[in-house]
Structures are given as C-alpha cells and as structure tokens.
Amino acid sequence: MAEKNISMRDALRDALREEMIRDERVFIMGEEVGRWQGTHRVTRGFYEEFGAERVRDTPISEMAIAGAAVGAAMAGLRPVAELMTINFAFLSLDAMVNHAAKIHYMFNGQFTVPLVFRAATGWGNQATATHSHTPEPIFAHFPGMYVAMPSNARDAKGMLKAAIRDDNPVLFSEVIALYPKPSLVPDDADFVLPIGKSDVKREGSDVTIVSFGRGVEWSLEAAKQLSEKDGIECEVVDLRWLRPLDLDPVYESFKKTNRCVVVEESLPMYSVGSEVAARLQEAAFDYMDAPVRRVSAMDVPLPFARDIELMALPSAQKVMTAVREVLG
Amino acid sequence: MAVEQSTTLSRETLLDWYYQIVLIRQFEERCDALYKDHKITGVYLHLYSGHEAVGVGALAALGTDDHVITAYRDHGIALARGVDAKPLMAEMMGKRTGVSGGKGGSMHLASRAHNFWGGYAIVGGHFPLATGIALKVRYMKEPNVVLCFMGDGATNNGYFHEAVNMAAVWDLPVIWLIENNLVGMGTRIEDSSGQPQLHKRAAAYGIKDGGRVDGQNVVEMYEAVSQAAAYAKKKGPVLLEALTYRYSGHGVSDKQYNVREDLASELKQWQDARDPINVLRGIINASYPGAEAELKALEDRADGVVEESVKFADESPVPTYEDLISNVYVGRSPLD
Ligand SMILES: Cc1ncc(C[n+]2csc(CCOP(=O)(O)OP(=O)(O)O)c2C)c(N)n1
C-alpha cells in the first residue's frame, strides 16, 4: 500500500475530507472551522471545498454546539463537532455526559448518537491554568462515549475515520504539540483502525511503559536513551483509546517484564495511571516485581511563567528516572 | 449627536484621558514589539489598541469602590483602572513581580487593591462572577456598581443568558458593557447573533437598554456609563453597547489582516476616521484650543512610563518552584 509522510494535522485533514466525500451525512460544526480555516488549521480549505452548509461556523456556544450535535446525530446526520480546545469542552460537558453518552441506553436502543467531538488538547506554550488542560480521563469516566487520543499521524487518520464511521459518540482529542509531527500514513481512503485496540510501539523485555497521546513520544524517547545508555529495554504500549480500554497487550507485556511505568500528560489523581495500576494488580499480581510508577503532570494548576510551567510537566527525563526506579 | 466639543468637562480631565489613552496605546504597541522580540512569550496576547476610549471613558465614570471585571483583552482595562504599568508589564513577561506573580499571564491580570477582579480567558466565564459581586454589593447594602466588560462574540455564550437574567431578577447593580468590535476571532457579529444590535437584548431580560454608544469617543463613553451607573445603583442592571474596532486582530497569532484585503481596508478606515486618540485630540482642540505642547508632553510622559515598566519587568526575577506550589489552596500545600 502506498504511504505518504505527512503531519498529524494533514492526516486528520485527509481523514475528515475523505469521510465527508464518502458520506454526505457527515458535516462539521464548530467555532472558526470555516472562514477562519480552523483554529489549528485542520479544516483548512474545507469551507471553500464543501461550502457553508457542511462546514458550519457557530457562535461561541459550546453548550449548543455539543447539544445540537447530539440532536442532529439522533436524527440521522453524522456530525463532527469541533470544540476548538478541550478546555472549552467543560462548557459542553453536560450535553456530552448526560446526553451523548446516555441516550442510547436510556431509551433502550431506540436512538443512536453517531457523532465525533473533536478537541485540541495539551499543555505547553504558556497557555495558563484555564487553557492547559489535558482532562481526557474525566471524559473517559462515563460509560456510553468512547475517548480517543492518537499519538501520531498514522494512528490519527485511522482512528478518526473509525470514529466517524462508528455509531457511538466519540471524544477525539488531538494533542496540539503533535499536529506538526509527521509519520508514514497509508494513502488509502479505507484505512480504518479498529476502535479500542492498543498498539505496541516498541518491543522490550525489561520494563513495560504504558502511555497514550503525547506521553508516547516521551516514552519512546526515554526507551531509546535507556537502551543506548544503560542497555535497558522498554516495551512501549500505546493505549490509543481510553475507552474502550484495551489492556491485553499491557498484561502480556507485564508478564514478561514484571515492571510497569505509566506515562501521561494529565494530572495524577483519578488518572489513567491510577486505573492501569489498579487493573494490573488485579490481573497480574503474581507477576509484580515492583510497585507501578506513574509519571504525570504535577498536581498543580499550570502557571504562565515558562520556567515553572516546565517544572510541572512530564518529560522523557522523568520517564527515564521512573524506569530506573522500578528496576530498583 | 456626536460629541465634538465639551465645555462641561474640565481641561484637566480631558488631558488626563488623553494621557491614559496614549499610555494604553503605547503599552500595547510595546507588548507587540516585545512579543516579536521573544521577551513576551506564549501563544496568547490580545491587544486593546483601538478600544482605548471604551475602557478609559467607562472607568472614568466609576469610583474606586466600584467594581470592574473583564475578559482576556484586559491590559487596557487594568491601566485605565489605575494599575501601575510596572507589575502589568512584569506579568506579560511572566515575572515574579507581576500583578499575578507571573502565574496568570496577559489574559489573567487582576488587582484586588483596585477592585479590578480580573481578566478571564474562558469566554463568558466572568459574567456570572459579575452577578455574584453585584449580589454582594446589594447584600451588604453598599452604594456601588459592577462594570462587566465583554466582547460581542461572548454574548452568544450560555453564560450570558444565565448571568444577565439572574442579575435582572434580583435587580443587581451591574452594567453589562459590550465592546462590540464587530467580530469575535474571525466570526462577524451578523453571523453569530440573531440580533446583531446587541443592546436590544436588554428587552428580553426586562432590563434597561443603555443603547449603542460610539466607543471611539471617550466623552460619549464617559457620559453613557455615568448615566448607566446612576441607574444601576438605584434600580438594577443596564445593558450598554459600545461600537469599537480592534487594531491588532484577535491576538498575536491572527494573520488574517495580512492576507485579507477587505479586513485591511476596514481597519484602515477605522484608523483614519475614528481613531480614539484623534477623536479626543479634536475634542480638546475644539474645547480648549492651544494644548498641542501639553499633548506632546503627555505622550512623552507615557513613553517614559512604558519604558520604565519594561526595564522593571526585564530586571525582575522569574518565579520559582515555591511559586509553582503556592496558593493552590488557602493555607495548605498541595504536597501535604
Ligand atoms: C468558552 C470559550 N470558547 C472559546 C474560546 C476561544 N476564544 C477566545 S476569544 C474568542 C472570541 C471572542 O470574541 P469577542 O467576545 O467578540 O471578544 P474580542 O476578542 O473581540 O474582544 C474565542 C472564540 C474561549 N476562550 N472560551
């Protein structure tokens, strides 16, 4: 299959464009998605190509963007609702949690809610406390809605297409820092990855690193350095989906390594790290040689000033330290 | 009728407003230059250039015990409220001496001492805070008013409806002042509001419609907000719309004006015909001729103040780990 080396931004753009061409019911709504060309330029050129009917600029109305997407989806359209950044999804939270995630169940299957909420996520660039959230675990808390968070361009394309084609609501979180990063992406309009499947991004036998989103980048960097410097071989599992959560590759890896580090960009309490650690001790207690270590953002709001912002955040360096710790 | 001359306002008052407007303009232009120089960093910096007369005129109508709150386009409001340029510039640069200790950044300026309750970066998020502050004012039977600035785009957010309605039901002393610069990011007001004459929404809430004011004319702003304040203190909320224009796009990342002819020419028209500095200059010349030398001296003074603020910020220390973990809770470390 032909592949092309493109950024995650372009991979997402291709996925959206192909799905809009494939299915007329797919349309985009959100703040600045059209004339402005998308806040992060993912929908660049769409307004010109598909027109205002299918690329709908909305008022600054997050409650109605999310809620109207739910209604349109129930009625038979397939909305891709952009929430600009995940920080503003807190205003949409009720429509997401109480309606998108509940309607199929509550009315016992009479309605489906086939929609995708797209949101840019992640810290960095001094966006400050209100604009630096990576709160995906909050959204993944609730049954009824899937949560996706790709770590590279290839996955982003295959996962977004899967999300759009699926009949369940999906929160699709896109890490801002990954938008410009390229990888090889199949040049195929039917390249669709399965929903809820983790992926081993690097094989190794000493320590299992579990991560997702931007954490995968830090984990792979740490694994590379540890291998080169210390001969430590880490296996890196990319969860890709926080819900459905596929831990089978993690258990399999752990049975081999007996040690685990979970790396995430989000806050430490009630986190993916907490969940993975709990599940591991339930599923593989007998294989455990060391306590599971968690690398995450510090448990503080993020400040503006660059130096202290960086202190609060995870990094490849912090992952390396944690790996050495679990090895004792 | 446009105010082109004023005999009721003293010469000193008009000169003071001139100074404040020029100070804001120079502060903002310096921020822009510092951003290009990577002295101010980050992704957000929303300049108040073009809006100066709205903030200066509106705040001139308030007393020091009245309350002010706004969104992220807050530098000019802070200056007009009398906050010293030095800690403001230090905040822009993320320094420990900044008004928010370098933690808030340009979008989150505040000064408790000035009853300036802050700039808020979640669109609409500060509206109910204004309602709450006004509730305290009524509750304690204080004779004051809350002035809540907002953008035109922000009026379409759900917070607007809930906050404005609640303040209406309780007859709270709030002035909702919409700075209508015709666009929110890239979305024009006609494309985002079913009723683009925003002040008319007052009718829907049963509150006083303060009308549409020329936001480029500081005297008209002052008069409109003075009337609104008197009404709000006695009776209840007022909704007021000021027409204005942003000179530097949405923020530092907005490149539209470089590529879109229509926007560039719209901007030029506002600058040529309705610049708040020129409008006030005209009023001063018509009311108290012969002030040219003084105006020049005020411009120099503003220049000196901005220069000094940059020096102060430059020489200030950056925050430390202690700052990172301070004030997460009242009286408790997040590490406990
Ligand atoms: C809840 C929320 N949604 C979206 C944004 C992104 N955003 C920041 S400013 C802005 C436009 C606001 O326009 P307006 O209220 O007219 O104010 P102006 O920038 O013109 O002063 C948008 C959409 C945000 N910060 N918060």
Side-chain angles (χ1 to χ4, degrees):
Chain A
M1 191 190 302
E3 291 189 323
K4 51 182 182 176
N5 195 36
I6 54 173
S7 67
M8 186 171 94
R9 173 181 288 112
D10 286 342
L12 289 163
R13 191 170 168 274
D14 284 357
L16 277 172
R17 191 170 166 274
E18 287 164 10
E19 293 309 302
M20 285 182 77
I21 291 167
R22 178 178 175 269
D23 185 345
E24 268 192 4
R25 296 167 303 171
V26 177
F27 73 99
I28 294 173
M29 63 191 281
E31 292 160 24
E32 308 300 343
V33 294
R35 290 181 191 83
W36 180 274
Q37 309 290 311
T39 303
H40 296 96
R41 300 295 179 268
V42 173
T43 53
R44 182 172 38 86
F46 279 35
Y47 184 80
E48 291 70 22
E49 180 172 359
F50 296 104
E53 272 298 309
R54 294 185 72 195
V55 184
R56 307 183 78 93
D57 283 320
T58 66
I60 308 170
S61 306
E62 286 80 11
M63 255 190 257
I65 294 168
V70 173
M74 290 169 74
L77 300 181
R78 302 185 79 85
V80 178
E82 186 181 308
L83 300 172
M84 189 177 279
T85 81
I86 194 85
N87 308 288
F88 315 141
F90 292 128
L91 282 83
S92 310
L93 195 60
D94 180 67
M96 297 170 83
V97 164
N98 273 328
H99 296 141
K102 300 290 192 294
I103 278 172
H104 187 62
Y105 179 83
M106 208 160 57
F107 299 112
N108 205 24
Q110 295 183 74
F111 308 112
T112 56
V113 188
L115 62 75
V116 179
F117 297 116
R118 284 185 50 239
T121 191
W123 55 266
N125 293 318
Q126 302 176 266
T128 77
T130 58
H131 280 56
S132 298
H133 295 285
T134 314
E136 286 70 20
I138 292 177
F139 296 89
H141 187 64
F142 303 97
M145 181 171 72
Y146 296 159
V147 177
M149 201 161 161
S151 68
N152 65 38
R154 178 180 187 278
D155 288 0
K157 179 170 182 186
M159 289 165 67
L160 183 54
K161 290 169 76 82
I164 294 171
R165 292 186 190 189
D166 195 85
D167 281 341
N168 289 288
V170 180
L171 169 63
F172 199 91
S173 257
E174 304 164 6
V175 180
I176 295 170
L178 298 179
Y179 276 135
K181 306 244 160 117
S183 76
L184 286 175
V185 180
D187 196 6
D188 170 6
D190 281 316
F191 169 62
V192 178
L193 286 167
I195 285 176
K197 277 270 167 277
S198 304
D199 186 40
V200 176
K201 289 282 190 297
R202 179 190 173 108
E203 293 189 3
S205 53
D206 296 327
V207 174
T208 303
I209 304 180
V210 182
S211 193
F212 58 98
R214 194 169 177 198
V216 173
E217 189 178 87
W218 299 316
S219 302
L220 289 171
E221 175 59 28
K224 181 165 164 272
Q225 290 197 36
L226 286 162
S227 168
E228 287 167 6
K229 288 186 189 151
D230 308 0
I232 298 170
E233 296 305 329
C234 297
E235 183 140 303
V236 178
V237 183
D238 178 358
L239 297 173
R240 299 202 288 204
W241 299 81
L242 301 190
R243 188 181 275 275
L245 180 61
D246 170 26
L247 290 183
D248 289 343
V250 175
Y251 300 148
E252 230 166 274
S253 174
F254 190 70
K255 286 177 182 168
K256 175 169 72 177
T257 63
N258 315 112
R259 290 173 167 83
C260 179
V261 172
V262 189
V263 180
E264 64 193 306
E265 197 178 345
S266 308
L267 293 165
M269 287 180 73
Y270 317 108
S271 62
V272 171
S274 317
E275 182 67 26
V276 171
R279 299 255 198 129
L280 264 182
Q281 61 84 21
E282 283 167 3
F285 187 74
D286 292 341
Y287 294 89
M288 203 167 266
D289 282 355
V292 175
R293 295 289 305 189
R294 294 179 292 158
V295 177
S296 70
M298 243 176 87
D299 199 19
V300 294
L302 286 181
F304 170 68
R306 189 71 183 149
D307 307 72
I308 57 172
E309 181 192 28
L310 290 176
M311 277 179 208
L313 294 162
S315 62
Q317 202 56 47
K318 290 181 184 173
V319 177
M320 288 168 67
T321 306
V323 167
R324 292 199 179 101
E325 277 168 10
V326 295
L327 283 167
Chain B
M1 241 325 265
V3 174
E4 279 151 17
Q5 185 176 0
S6 177
T7 43
T8 48
L9 290 162
S10 74
R11 192 169 185 276
E12 294 69 52
T13 300
L14 293 177
L15 291 184
D16 177 45
W17 292 350
Y18 186 82
Y19 168 71
Q20 290 187 47
I21 289 177
V22 167
L23 175 66
I24 296 172
R25 178 70 56 84
Q26 294 191 0
F27 187 91
E28 296 298 59
E29 285 178 355
R30 183 55 86 84
C31 283
D32 194 43
L34 289 166
Y35 190 83
K36 287 177 178 132
D37 263 4
H38 307 288
K39 287 268 191 185
I40 294 176
T41 53
V43 280
Y44 300 115
L45 189 69
H46 311 87
L47 304 183
Y48 202 62
S49 307
H51 285 230
E52 298 92 341
V54 180
V56 170
L59 289 170
L62 258 56
T64 50
D65 290 337
D66 293 321
H67 307 278
V68 182
I69 192 164
T70 188
Y72 47 86
R73 202 179 292 286
D74 56 356
H75 321 171
I77 308 282
L79 285 166
R81 189 56 179 166
V83 182
D84 186 2
K86 289 196 288 296
L88 290 175
M89 191 57 91
E91 192 63 37
M92 304 291 156
M93 293 198 200
K95 295 300 182 77
R96 196 159 194 267
T97 52
V99 281
S100 305
K103 290 168 163 184
S106 72
M107 305 195 293
H108 302 113
L109 308 171
S111 178
R112 186 77 174 82
H114 293 84
N115 285 322
F116 172 45
W117 297 87
Y120 293 83
I122 296 298
V123 167
H126 67 290
F127 306 164
L129 276 55
T131 299
I133 296 165
L135 172 61
K136 181 263 183 183
V137 168
R138 273 279 186 272
Y139 199 93
M140 305 299 280
K141 302 195 169 44
E142 292 164 351
N144 302 113
V145 68
V146 180
L147 175 60
C148 179
F149 290 89
M150 65 180 74
D152 45 280
T155 62
N156 301 306
N157 179 289
Y159 271 129
F160 179 87
H161 173 69
E162 297 189 25
V164 172
N165 184 58
M166 188 181 280
V169 170
W170 291 341
D171 299 321
L172 299 179
V174 192
I175 303 168
W176 305 107
L177 174 51
I178 305 167
E179 298 189 68
N180 183 357
N181 60 16
L182 315 179
V183 58
M185 279 182 79
T187 305
R188 309 289 298 192
I189 189 65
E190 314 81 62
D191 296 324
S192 66
S193 182
Q195 171 52 277
Q197 294 194 51
L198 298 169
H199 65 94
K200 290 194 175 169
R201 290 193 190 185
Y205 298 99
I207 63 174
K208 171 93 177 154
D209 179 350
R212 197 177 242 189
V213 190
D214 178 359
Q216 305 311 84
N217 187 317
V218 69
V219 174
E220 290 186 33
M221 278 309 306
Y222 168 75
E223 285 169 358
V225 176
S226 298
Q227 283 171 21
Y231 182 94
K233 285 178 195 172
K234 265 204 235 92
K235 300 201 163 143
V238 181
L239 182 66
L240 200 65
E241 178 183 354
L243 264 197
T244 184
Y245 202 77
R246 48 176 212 203
Y247 279 10
S248 310
H250 175 62
V252 283
S253 57
D254 182 356
K255 304 284 186 285
Q256 288 185 107
Y257 287 78
N258 306 340
V259 294
R260 279 188 44 187
E261 192 56 44
D262 55 333
L263 289 176
S265 88
E266 183 180 70
L267 168 61
K268 189 162 181 331
Q269 271 176 23
W270 278 82
Q271 286 174 320
D272 290 349
R274 305 295 310 145
D275 181 65
I277 297 179
N278 290 339
V279 170
L280 178 54
R281 205 174 247 282
I283 294 171
I284 292 172
N285 283 337
S287 318
Y288 304 103
E292 281 307 321
E294 270 166 287
L295 297 184
K296 174 74 178 68
L298 292 172
E299 288 162 19
D300 291 345
R301 190 175 130 211
D303 196 37
V305 166
V306 171
E307 195 57 49
E308 206 186 319
S309 76
V310 175
K311 186 167 183 292
F312 172 81
D314 237 347
E315 290 169 357
S316 291
V318 294
T320 62
Y321 181 77
E322 290 309 311
D323 298 306
L324 175 64
I325 61 171
S326 74
N327 291 321
V328 176
Y329 303 103
V330 180
R332 176 183 296 274
S333 157
L335 309 178
D336 285 350

